[in-house]
């Protein structure tokens, strides 16, 4: 028995030595050595769902697809202002109903087929007629439904000639251009979409972007390689980008320090201080496009009383929360949206941290001795709230000082969302990451009465706010529109359905030699300008 | 023997059937909605309903169960709701990753566990015995994630001896054939990569091995102590046989049955229970695959994933039962 085993082993051994002779020349490549580094390994916490951006909603998918595809218009630099993308320029009719896009010539998809007006029409047709499949999540929420739905704002998308696309809208929509810049509305190769059918996004992903999809090992790595024919000349500067899943934040940082990866997101706030002093690594902060908040269910006792809500607004020390749990990487919030979004009302005076005022308001509301309630908190960190459990405990301690006795309740994430959206919790921690950088995407989506049952978890309904927000949706004059949003914020501030807590600036960390990396507020970055020194 | 094995394999059918029924109903009882997790927090009610319909989730649950069973009987594990990938294709790389890791971990656990147990029993109440048993106690009670991070800190960050995460060099990845990387690299004659794969295996497998190693050591010690007090051992010693042979040949063989049981159970546990190690070391194994599916309420993946793990668990125990007869000729199966 032993002899046989020994013989088998020796045979395997000899065989493999023989085989090494044939293929050993490959082995030295890849390790790089002293040559300039051209492969970037991006470490992250979870895998993508699909590489068809139209069917996903998770940031981990967009992080990759943003590098494979382009959109008609793009966000400029680190802002959410819109600039040219696949469309070189565009005209908007005076009534705000017709958008004519002039497309870039000579752009090709990664499969060699031409990018043209027909391809744009194909993509929009695919999304707007996709109601039955139920998989296009972003399209109906940004464009008011599918083809045939009452709320659908797009009347038609037509190809006037090879390089001109005309969008006709049913009613003016102020955020329309910003919507078009969003990752889910990237243009995919019609040939590839038809060829792969159900497998599109998993076995193939074909766009016009700076990198081409190479392979995907589930829950492990996604590899992209340089698109030599990218329409921005001289870009991308990297030859290869690999997205590597490492679920644990500390382990991911260990891998970075050990040189196994080059760049990562999801840094523990507690690690930031030590990283500031690290000679080999550099911190990057993503500009905020989010809000973390404490919501009240305004339909439930005692939160149906405005004074109670205002009192609790006075009872939270936001600065201390940010210093302790965000390592300072965040701005205290006073409005439901961050300050870099057009329409932000900076004149609003925040509820200051003042326990006396809080007590007084509580007494006026009829609760001089406080009350008992529940404080629901998320089980796992979110981009807008890195340590929800601890933040809940800090808020609990703050509330205790004014006699409000809050029991902390937590449960698994999807259960949590379901129960909160049904209005089962009196008081809850939640947040929102913006989609297109527009005020509508915060105020209307989160606090309009139309959004009760979906994202208006506070079940806040104010007809005046509703009127302002609806008017703003179709106001195409930028200044007038911003005024409407500013007014709405005044009312929301007074009604206080939330305690807006923080706009966090998530930290990323990478090797010092990385150049040209500018994190974008949307949470997904195009890596075409990145290179190693 | 053969008829026994056949009977045991046939027993698998009701076991797996029962498992599938329990898993199927439990995951539908817990709150949370796959359509909601797929479409995100931003989805409209209407969109969620149409996705329910597209996925067949609006049918009565026994109708869903019957159609799932039907597919299963034809060897179709279903399709992941989330990624749209056929599970039979998607699951194998994860299963292979965990099997390779568990295999190496068990070799480490068995080798060190049994030897430590034997020597402890042989030199009972010595310093070695005492130290080994204290280490074993620590091994059982040490949180795996903590040990994993400690290993990374020591051997990767400080000493730079070993890579901290993954199965292979990310920048020079192994070309998978069987998805057992130790085998794949040998098949391709890539000794450089074979060595890299071994280096990647060391830290996670040691972390994973601690608990089974400690349990095996303690079991070996107590079982050996019992055997070594028996008459035939005393006879052998009286005959002047060398102690080494008495311990490793005569005693171990008789002490091995309970040890084998523990080894079997621990191996089975590792398949589904390696999840913490897999998380810390970025190891794309089956534990994480199923765990992620639970987070996203990816029903078909949870069902089939657990079924596959259960299948291997039962198979490993079957193999252990058969091995009993090999080690102890008194055990006969009819």
């Amino acid at each position: 028995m032993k002899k046989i085993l020994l013989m088998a082993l020796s045979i395997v051994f000899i065989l493999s030595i023989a085989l090494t002779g044939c293929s050993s020349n490959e082995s030295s490549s890849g390790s790089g050595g002293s040559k300039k580094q051209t492969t970037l390994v991006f470490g992250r916490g979870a895998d993508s769902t699909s590489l068809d951006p139209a069917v996903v909603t998770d940031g981990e998918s967009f992080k990759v697809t943003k590098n494979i595809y382009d959109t008609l218009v793009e966000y400029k630099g680190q802002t959410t202002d819109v600039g040219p993308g696949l469309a070189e320029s565009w005209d908007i009719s005076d009534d705000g109903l017709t958008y004519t896009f002039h497309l870039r010539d000579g752009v090709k998809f990664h499969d060699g087929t031409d990018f043209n007006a027909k391809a744009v029409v194909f993509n929009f047709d695919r999304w707007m007629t996709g109601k039955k499949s139920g998989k296009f999540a972003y399209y109906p929420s940004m464009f008011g439904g599918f083809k045939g739905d009452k709320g659908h704002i797009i009347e038609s998308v037509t190809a006037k000639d090879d390089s001109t696309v005309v969008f006709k809208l049913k009613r003016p929509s102020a955020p329309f251009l910003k919507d078009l810049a969003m990752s889910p509305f990237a243009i995919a190769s019609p040939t590839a979409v038809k060829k792969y059918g159900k497998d599109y996004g998993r076995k193939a992903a074909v766009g016009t972007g700076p990198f081409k999809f190479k392979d995907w090992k589930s829950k492990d790595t996604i590899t992209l390689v340089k698109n030599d024919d990218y329409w921005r000349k001289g870009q991308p500067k990297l030859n290869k980008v690999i997205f590597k899943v490492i679920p644990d934040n500390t382990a991911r940082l260990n891998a970075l320090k050990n040189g196994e990866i080059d760049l990562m997101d999801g840094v523990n706030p507690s690690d930031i201080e030590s990283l500031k002093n690290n000679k080999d690594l550099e911190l990057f902060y993503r500009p905020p496009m989010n809000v973390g908040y404490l919501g009240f269910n305004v339909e439930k006792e005692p939160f149906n009383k405005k004074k109670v809500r205002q009192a609790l607004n006075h009872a939270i020390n936001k600065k201390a929360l940010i210093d302790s749990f965000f390592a300072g990487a965040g701005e205290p919030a006073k409005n439901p949206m961050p300050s870099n979004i057009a329409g932000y009302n900076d004149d609003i005076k925040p509820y200051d941290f003042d326990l006396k005022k809080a007590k007084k308001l509580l007494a006026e509301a009829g609760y001089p001795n406080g009350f008992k309630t529940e404080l629901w908190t998320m089980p796992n960190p979110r981009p807008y709230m890195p340590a929800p459990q601890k933040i809940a405990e800090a808020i609990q301690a703050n509330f205790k000082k004014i006699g409000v006795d809050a029991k902390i309740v937590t449960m698994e994430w999807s259960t949590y969302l379901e129960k909160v959206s049904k209005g089962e919790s009196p008081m809850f921690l939640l947040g929102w990451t913006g989609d297109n950088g527009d005020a509508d995407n915060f105020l209307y989506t989160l606090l309009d009465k139309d959004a009760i049952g979906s994202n208006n978890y506070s079940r806040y309904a104010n007809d005046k706010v509703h009127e302002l927000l609806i008017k703003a949706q179709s106001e195409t004059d930028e200044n007038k529109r911003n005024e409407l949003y500013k007014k709405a914020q005044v009312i929301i501030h007074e009604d206080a359905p939330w305690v807006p807590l923080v706009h966090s600036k998530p930290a990323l960390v990478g090797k010092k030699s990385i150049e040209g990396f500018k994190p974008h507020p949307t949470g997904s970055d195009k890596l075409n300008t990145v290179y190693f020194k | 023997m053969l008829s026994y094995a056949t009977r045991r394999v046939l027993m698998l059918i009701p076991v797996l059937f029962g498992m599938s029924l329990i898993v199927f109903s439990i995951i539908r009882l817990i709150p949370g909605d796959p359509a909601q997790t797929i479409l995100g927090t931003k989805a409209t009610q209407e969109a969620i309903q149409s996705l329910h319909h597209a996925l067949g989730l609006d049918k009565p649950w026994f109708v869903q169960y019957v159609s799932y069973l039907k597919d299963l009987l034809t060897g179709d594990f279903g399709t992941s709701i989330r990624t749209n990938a056929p599970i039979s294709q998607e699951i194998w790389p994860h299963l292979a990753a965990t099997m390779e890791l568990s295999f190496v971990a068990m070799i480490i656990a068995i080798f060190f566990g049994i030897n430590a147990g034997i020597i402890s029993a042989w030199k009972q109440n010595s310093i070695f015995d005492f130290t080994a048993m204290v280490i074993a106690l620590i091994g059982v009670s040490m949180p795996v994630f903590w040990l994993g991070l400690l290993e990374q800190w020591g051997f990767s960050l400080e000493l730079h001896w070993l890579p901290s995460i993954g199965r292979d060099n990310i920048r020079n990845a192994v070309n998978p054939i069987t998805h057992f990387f130790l085998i794949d690299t040998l098949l391709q004659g890539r000794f450089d990569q074979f060595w890299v794969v071994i280096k990647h295996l060391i830290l996670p497998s040691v972390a994973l091995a601690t608990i089974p190693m400690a349990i095996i050591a303690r079991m070996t010690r107590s079982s050996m102590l019992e055997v070594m007090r028996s008459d035939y051992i005393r006879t052998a010693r009286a005959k002047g046989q060398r102690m080494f042979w008495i311990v490793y040949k005569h005693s171990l063989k008789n002490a091995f049955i309970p040890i084998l049981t523990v080894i079997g159970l621990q191996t089975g546990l590792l398949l589904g229970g390696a999840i913490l190690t897999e998380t810390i070391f970025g190891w794309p194994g089956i534990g994480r695959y199923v765990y992620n599916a639970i987070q996203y309420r990816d029903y078909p993946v949870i069902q089939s994933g657990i079924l596959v793990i259960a299948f291997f668990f039962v198979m490993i125990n079957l193999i252990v039962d058969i091995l009993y007869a090999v080690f102890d000729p008194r055990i006969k199966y009819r």
Side-chain angles (χ1 to χ4, degrees):
Chain A
M1 178 78 175
K2 269 186 194 161
K3 266 185 197 161
I4 295 171
L5 200 72
L6 209 67
M7 253 166 68
L9 273 175
S10 340
I11 289 171
V12 170
F13 189 70
I14 292 166
L15 213 69
S16 13
I17 290 180
L19 284 169
T20 331
C22 321
S23 61
S24 62
N25 47 348
E26 291 170 57
S27 58
S28 53
S29 69
S31 48
S34 63
K35 269 203 319 198
K36 215 168 110 181
Q37 192 179 344
T38 53
T39 297
L40 177 102
V41 182
F42 189 109
R44 56 192 187 141
D47 202 6
S48 302
T49 306
S50 166
L51 297 183
D52 179 359
V55 303
V56 294
T57 56
D58 60 317
E60 296 303 342
S61 295
F62 293 138
K63 256 176 221 167
V64 182
T65 63
K66 196 149 179 178
N67 289 292
I68 302 177
Y69 301 90
D70 291 307
T71 42
L72 285 179
V73 290
E74 285 180 8
Y75 299 119
K76 285 191 280 190
Q78 283 181 292
T79 70
T80 51
D81 299 336
V82 169
L86 284 172
E88 265 175 325
S89 62
W90 54 91
D91 315 307
I92 307 170
S93 66
D94 290 338
D95 57 5
L97 290 177
T98 310
Y99 286 69
T100 309
F101 290 93
H102 307 287
L103 307 180
R104 217 169 275 280
D105 278 328
V107 177
K108 281 196 186 305
F109 288 110
H110 300 156
D111 60 0
T113 56
D114 287 325
F115 163 78
N116 52 29
K118 273 196 199 126
V120 177
V121 173
F122 172 88
N123 275 277
F124 273 87
D125 272 345
R126 174 174 177 240
W127 305 328
M128 69 170 76
T129 56
K131 186 173 185 174
K132 257 206 183 140
S133 73
K135 57 182 187 178
F136 299 106
Y138 258 118
Y139 187 86
S141 58
M142 302 318 288
F143 297 118
F146 290 101
K147 196 175 186 174
D149 288 349
K150 220 174 74 193
H152 190 216
I153 61 164
I154 299 180
E155 170 84 46
S156 65
V157 184
T158 43
K160 200 167 142 201
D161 55 52
D162 245 15
S163 61
T164 318
V165 183
V166 181
F167 285 74
K168 284 221 157 53
L169 305 187
K170 287 183 193 160
R171 55 178 187 277
S173 165
F176 185 64
L177 279 177
K178 280 187 175 156
D179 290 344
L180 290 184
M182 286 172 59
S183 294
F185 309 121
I187 306 300
S189 156
T191 319
V193 171
K194 279 185 251 175
K195 184 176 160 197
Y196 288 95
K198 259 179 78 176
D199 289 334
Y200 186 78
R202 194 168 54 82
K203 288 193 171 154
V206 184
T208 56
F211 296 95
K212 297 192 271 192
F213 170 63
K214 184 157 169 263
D215 74 359
W216 185 354
K217 291 185 191 145
S218 162
K219 310 280 182 288
D220 193 19
T221 55
I222 294 179
T223 306
L224 308 182
V225 292
K226 180 178 184 174
N227 172 14
D228 287 315
D229 303 320
Y230 189 47
W231 51 271
R232 279 192 175 100
K233 293 293 162 230
Q235 292 177 2
K237 296 180 176 171
L238 295 167
N239 284 338
K240 209 192 234 183
V241 176
I242 302 169
F243 292 90
K244 164 81 186 170
V245 180
I246 307 167
D248 185 73
N249 286 355
T250 311
R252 200 177 322 120
L253 187 60
N254 283 345
L256 176 69
K257 287 179 178 166
N258 201 29
E260 290 162 76
I261 61 174
D262 305 309
L263 180 64
M264 61 171 268
D265 56 9
V267 183
N268 282 330
S270 51
D271 289 327
I272 287 180
E273 210 41 54
S274 74
L275 287 172
K276 282 181 185 160
N277 304 320
N278 191 315
K279 283 194 305 277
D280 308 321
L281 302 176
E282 185 172 355
L283 278 164
F284 304 89
Y285 291 100
R286 198 182 283 292
M289 198 166 88
N290 57 46
V291 59
Y293 62 88
L294 172 74
F296 305 116
N297 184 344
V298 300
E299 289 174 354
K300 276 199 167 155
E301 281 275 354
F303 302 108
N304 52 357
K305 297 198 173 68
K306 197 204 289 183
K307 284 201 170 149
V308 171
R309 303 194 299 258
Q310 288 175 337
L312 296 180
N313 259 285
H314 279 297
I316 293 179
N317 188 348
K318 292 176 199 173
K319 174 121 198 337
L321 287 183
I322 292 169
D323 286 344
S324 332
F325 306 120
F326 293 77
E331 296 163 7
K334 58 179 182 182
N335 284 321
M337 63 187 199
S339 59
N340 54 359
I341 286 181
Y344 180 81
N345 192 340
D346 210 13
D347 297 331
I348 282 176
K349 214 176 137 282
Y351 292 100
D352 47 345
F353 176 54
D354 187 338
L355 294 176
K356 267 189 202 145
K357 249 189 226 170
K359 274 202 130 154
K360 201 177 140 234
L361 281 166
L362 265 190
E364 283 171 23
Y367 297 95
N369 302 318
F371 50 85
K372 273 199 174 147
T373 184
E374 282 177 359
L375 169 56
W376 288 35
T377 183
M378 305 167 260
N380 42 346
R382 311 289 305 170
Y384 40 76
M385 216 170 274
Q389 194 75 34
K390 288 179 189 158
I391 290 172
E393 283 163 20
I395 291 175
Q396 182 188 40
N398 275 330
F399 284 174
K400 194 127 206 177
K401 289 179 191 154
I402 56 166
V404 174
D405 188 4
K407 191 179 133 210
I408 292 179
V409 176
T410 188
M411 61 204 73
E412 191 257 357
W413 177 238
S414 50
T415 315
Y416 183 77
L417 269 188
E418 191 173 310
K419 291 195 174 239
V420 173
S421 78
K422 281 185 185 151
E424 289 181 30
S425 69
M427 191 161 67
F428 50 89
L429 285 172
L430 255 179
W432 176 259
T433 303
D435 297 309
N436 56 1
D438 193 88
D440 182 69
N441 184 244
F442 279 86
L443 300 182
Y444 178 79
T445 313
L446 300 175
L447 288 163
D448 190 84
K449 67 174 185 183
D450 289 351
I452 294 177
S454 63
N455 286 303
N456 184 349
Y457 297 112
S458 278
R459 312 181 91 77
Y460 169 68
N462 183 314
D463 288 328
K464 254 194 210 147
V465 171
H466 177 69
E467 206 176 286
L468 288 167
L469 294 179
I470 291 292
K471 214 168 146 198
Q473 281 183 334
S474 50
E475 177 60 68
T476 43
D477 182 322
E478 187 74 9
N479 290 329
K480 281 187 198 159
R481 185 162 183 255
N482 290 345
E483 277 316 307
L484 295 170
Y485 284 126
K486 284 182 181 175
K487 275 185 201 160
Q489 284 164 76
V490 173
I491 306 173
I492 293 168
H493 179 75
E494 169 69 20
D495 282 346
W498 299 354
V499 184
L501 295 172
V502 58
H503 307 295
S504 78
K505 295 186 285 185
L508 294 96
V509 57
K511 285 186 182 156
K512 259 264 153 68
S513 53
I514 291 177
E515 290 283 315
F517 177 64
K518 297 244 168 353
H520 193 265
T522 49
S524 46
D525 310 303
K526 230 178 192 137
L527 302 167
N528 51 333
T529 57
V530 175
Y531 63 98
F532 289 92
K533 259 192 301 212
Chain B
M1 178 78 142
L2 199 66
S3 74
Y4 171 77
T6 324
R7 251 184 299 139
R8 282 289 300 269
V9 171
L10 284 177
M11 280 269 285
L12 259 176
I13 296 168
V15 167
L16 292 180
F17 177 77
M19 278 288 299
S20 73
L21 190 65
I22 292 169
V23 172
F24 192 92
S25 35
I26 283 182
I27 56 179
R28 275 166 179 75
L29 281 177
I30 52 175
D33 177 356
Q36 178 85 57
T37 58
I38 290 169
L39 297 174
T41 49
K42 305 175 180 189
T44 58
Q45 267 315 310
E46 208 183 356
I48 289 174
Q49 252 138 42
S50 56
L51 186 60
H52 271 171
H53 186 71
L55 296 174
L57 293 172
D58 51 353
K59 292 181 195 144
W61 81 266
F62 59 86
V63 175
Q64 292 182 43
Y65 182 64
V66 169
S67 82
Y68 169 68
L69 266 193
K70 252 193 222 156
D71 288 347
L72 211 56
L73 288 178
T74 58
D76 180 1
F77 280 131
T79 313
S80 160
I81 292 181
R82 189 154 171 268
T83 63
N84 226 342
I87 294 166
S88 48
Q89 277 175 30
E90 213 181 39
I91 204 168
W92 175 248
H94 297 288
L95 189 63
T98 298
M99 281 180 161
E100 191 169 74
L101 178 63
S102 312
F103 180 73
V104 176
M106 278 320 284
I107 288 182
I108 296 174
I110 292 170
F111 180 80
F112 288 101
I114 289 188
N115 281 301
I118 288 175
I119 299 173
S120 282
W122 180 0
K123 310 273 181 201
Q124 202 195 348
N125 297 329
S126 66
I127 293 282
F128 180 91
D129 178 23
F130 182 72
T131 331
M133 286 307 115
V134 168
I135 293 176
L137 194 66
I138 295 172
V140 176
S141 38
M142 177 127 59
V144 173
F145 63 89
W146 185 74
L147 178 67
L149 289 174
L150 207 67
E151 282 183 348
Q152 286 181 349
W153 173 77
F155 294 98
S156 304
L157 298 189
E158 292 299 319
L159 296 169
H160 294 289
W161 287 353
L162 295 167
S164 63
I165 46 118
R167 295 183 75 189
D168 55 356
N169 183 347
I170 307 169
R171 295 165 216 271
N172 182 15
V174 171
N175 190 14
I177 304 170
T178 62
H179 290 278
F180 292 109
F181 282 5
L182 286 175
I183 296 174
D184 289 350
T185 48
L186 284 182
L187 285 176
Q188 293 167 39
R190 296 288 303 268
F191 275 105
D192 54 324
Q193 283 195 332
F194 180 72
W195 178 233
V196 169
V197 170
I198 288 189
K199 285 212 282 193
H200 277 87
L201 269 164
I202 294 174
L203 294 186
S205 55
V206 168
L208 194 58
T210 46
I211 292 178
M213 181 159 58
I215 294 175
I216 290 170
R218 291 171 69 87
M219 182 52 87
T220 308
R221 181 176 179 271
S222 62
S223 175
M224 284 291 283
L225 279 177
E226 202 174 304
V227 173
M228 282 173 73
R229 285 193 201 106
S230 56
D231 293 344
Y232 78 97
I233 296 295
R234 199 182 311 122
T235 315
R237 287 170 100 164
K239 271 176 27 187
Q241 272 221 355
R242 278 183 57 196
M243 198 56 192
F244 184 84
W245 287 115
I246 294 174
V247 171
Y248 275 88
K249 202 163 170 220
H250 300 298
S251 313
L252 184 58
K253 211 170 172 189
N254 273 328
F256 205 64
I257 296 296
I259 303 172
L260 196 60
T261 312
V262 169
I263 291 174
L265 284 174
Q266 289 295 321
T267 313
L269 283 179
L270 285 194
L271 284 181
I275 176 160
L276 282 177
T277 315
E278 289 171 5
T279 301
I280 293 294
F281 290 98
W283 199 271
I286 186 110
R288 254 175 67 203
Y289 179 64
V290 175
Y291 175 72
N292 276 327
I294 293 173
Q295 279 180 313
Y296 289 104
R297 300 290 187 270
D298 197 336
Y299 293 159
V301 173
I302 307 174
Q303 282 154 205
S304 302
I306 293 181
L307 221 53
V308 168
I309 294 174
F311 173 79
F312 280 98
F313 194 96
V314 178
M315 284 310 278
I316 287 168
N317 278 293
L318 172 62
I319 292 169
V320 166
D321 283 353
I322 291 170
L323 282 179
Y324 285 161
V326 175
F327 282 95
D328 190 344
R330 286 170 299 183
I331 296 174
K332 283 223 165 59
Y333 295 115
R334 251 171 237 124

